[in-house]
Amino acid sequence: MVIDSASGWAWLVAAALACALGAGLLAWRHRRLSNALRTSWQAATTRLDEMAQQDVVTGLPNRPELELSLDAAVARADRDGQPLCILYLGLDNFGPINDSFGHARGDQVLAELGRRLTSVVESRGAVARIGGAEFVILMHGPLADGGRLAMRLLAETAVPFNADGHEARVSASIGIAVYPEQGPRSRVIGNAAVAMRSVKLAGGAGHAEFEPRMAIDQRDQAELARDLRLAVERKQLVLFYQPKVDAGSLQITAAEALVRWHHPSRGIISPALFIPIAERHGLIGIIGNWVLDDALRQAAVWRRNGLRMRVAINVSGHQMRQDDFVERLEAGLRAHQLPPGRFTCEITETVAMENTAVTLRAFERLAKLGVHVSIDDFGTGYSSLASLRRLPVAEL
């Protein structure tokens, strides 16, 4: 193309400048977008890193982060010669809260508990949630300091929680192990957990220091749990019947079914030993159903033989929270042609005072069925006769 005028050259220059400006603008916009994307990516990566280190419910450090904190704490203990206390805290009765109020409200309780534990520990140590309803606290200091901290944590845990207007009460068991006296770095948390479980087996709501025998007890209980899984199908469980005598007439008016385990090598095992193991390993439902079925069967045999006494069974908290417990009882009574009023469900004061929607509904359904309801072990807790009057019970 031939340019033969000044105006033509001006046009070319203007076009070139426009192209240059356009290219510059595009480059600027590209750099700006790249910087924004880089900033966004860095923020997302930082957030993901934080989430990987935190428990999503409580915001506390999680298990991987706890391991890093433990490494640093052990290194400090080795360097300064100062003992390190590991406190392993597990809630005793958290399952019913999730069952009755729902997992969302259960998470509210866990989040509030995390805040309380952090407030008690303050700058003296670190708190982490390692899963479920279990927390670990690291604190430099001797065992006596760990024991005092455990008492404060237990007191704080016992204060009622508010979950969307619903009052929730829990207790905790705490095991304490001291590094390095009670285990190397690889086992010290596990030893604290063993001590915590020993407190649970003793009834909970307390704390204990790790002792080597506890680990032996845990192995023994694991063996019993393995055997207990097979006890029902191998017909090793048996019911003994304790008579109830009327103090005025001295006549036997009822019999309470008491389960025993006839172990092939250990002999008769008391329920005081195997029931806590059954509860911990999820076997209490199977055993409770067997007790119910066999007691109904025996009551029918006695009735056919002319005995009209009432038969009682002990009902666990797990059974009271089962949706099909009352239906199973009703079906059994109907199958054996037993009048509901001649059958007693004995429920401990602790379970009766749970005051959850599921438990109260079970009481109402038992009353509607016409079953005799009795509160067992009254006086061992903190309830009053006034509080029990709300429940459809016939006997203490």
Side-chain angles (χ1 to χ4, degrees):
M1 182 175 65
V2 178
I3 304 300
D4 58 0
S5 68
S7 62
W9 284 107
W11 180 84
L12 286 175
V13 171
L17 287 174
C19 288
L21 287 172
L25 180 61
L26 286 174
W28 175 78
R29 292 181 65 185
H30 176 72
R31 285 195 301 272
R32 184 178 180 185
L33 180 60
S34 296
N35 290 336
L37 288 173
R38 187 180 301 108
T39 301
S40 178
W41 173 259
Q42 290 173 344
T45 303
T46 301
R47 178 58 182 153
L48 286 173
D49 289 342
E50 292 174 351
M51 291 175 64
Q53 299 169 348
Q54 290 182 347
D55 171 59
V56 295
V57 174
T58 63
L60 294 173
N62 57 16
R63 184 63 183 256
E65 185 67 12
L66 171 65
E67 294 291 341
L68 295 176
S69 297
L70 180 61
D71 287 338
V74 165
R76 175 183 167 186
D78 291 340
R79 181 181 67 251
D80 299 341
Q82 186 181 25
L84 171 67
C85 281
I86 291 86
L87 285 74
Y88 198 111
L89 184 150
L91 295 182
D92 298 324
N93 46 356
F94 185 69
I97 293 178
N98 277 335
D99 295 341
S100 303
F101 299 143
H103 286 274
R105 288 174 178 148
D107 286 349
Q108 289 179 12
V109 172
L110 290 174
E112 174 60 25
L113 177 60
R115 288 189 288 271
R116 293 186 189 183
L117 299 182
T118 302
S119 176
V120 171
V121 175
E122 294 178 328
S123 60
R124 292 177 296 169
V127 183
R129 181 189 177 210
I130 61 171
E134 296 183 345
F135 299 77
V136 170
I137 297 96
L138 306 179
M139 187 199 74
H140 287 279
L143 176 62
D145 289 350
R148 282 189 287 270
L149 179 60
M151 293 295 292
R152 290 189 60 194
L153 295 173
L154 290 172
E156 196 65 35
T157 305
V159 177
F161 292 82
N162 187 324
D164 275 349
H166 296 267
E167 183 180 279
R169 292 178 178 270
V170 296
S171 61
S173 298
I174 299 178
I176 308 174
V178 180
Y179 172 85
E181 290 87 350
Q182 294 170 328
R185 186 253 181 265
S186 60
R187 291 206 305 267
V188 68
I189 289 182
N191 287 345
V194 167
M196 181 274 291
R197 287 192 287 272
S198 74
V199 177
K200 280 184 178 288
L201 290 173
H207 72 281
E209 173 191 358
F210 172 77
E211 299 176 12
R213 65 170 180 81
M214 292 177 178
I216 299 174
D217 291 344
Q218 293 292 319
R219 287 195 294 270
D220 187 53
Q221 288 161 19
E223 292 176 1
L224 283 174
R226 179 198 62 203
D227 295 344
L228 189 55
R229 292 183 185 278
L230 302 173
V232 174
E233 62 184 74
R234 292 179 177 177
K235 302 186 185 305
Q236 295 173 359
L237 297 181
V238 61
L239 290 183
F240 286 77
Y241 289 88
Q242 176 175 273
K244 294 186 177 184
V245 179
D246 183 273
S249 65
L250 299 183
Q251 297 296 309
I252 295 176
T253 59
E256 178 181 358
L258 302 174
V259 63
R260 298 292 185 268
W261 179 12
H262 198 289
H263 193 280
S265 61
R266 300 176 186 240
I268 297 292
I269 299 179
S270 165
L273 176 60
F274 72 81
I275 290 297
I277 296 176
E279 290 175 338
R280 178 182 167 192
H281 291 271
L283 303 172
I284 193 64
I286 298 173
I287 294 174
N289 288 339
W290 177 85
V291 169
L292 173 61
D293 295 342
D294 205 59
L296 287 168
R297 178 197 60 79
Q298 183 62 65
V301 170
W302 284 336
R303 186 171 180 80
R304 287 195 298 269
N305 291 333
L307 293 175
R308 294 293 189 264
M309 63 184 179
R310 182 178 286 117
V311 175
I313 64 167
N314 292 288
V315 179
S316 69
H318 175 84
Q319 288 174 291
M320 287 291 285
R321 292 186 290 271
Q322 281 182 314
D323 291 334
D324 63 344
F325 169 66
V326 179
E327 285 86 350
R328 188 183 185 94
L329 172 57
E330 183 177 13
L333 290 168
R334 187 168 53 250
H336 290 289
Q337 298 180 341
L338 294 170
R342 304 303 297 172
F343 200 81
T344 299
C345 289
E346 294 194 3
I347 300 158
T348 64
E349 178 189 9
T350 302
V351 173
M353 289 297 101
E354 280 185 357
N355 197 30
T356 64
V358 176
T359 305
L360 291 175
R361 186 163 60 249
F363 269 110
E364 292 168 357
R365 295 169 70 188
L366 287 173
K368 185 177 180 180
L369 180 60
V371 170
H372 191 87
V373 179
S374 172
I375 300 298
D376 200 9
D377 295 335
F378 177 73
T380 59
Y382 299 99
S383 60
S384 65
L385 286 172
S387 61
L388 289 175
R389 289 182 65 185
R390 298 180 291 104
L391 301 175
V393 299
E395 179 182 271
L396 295 182

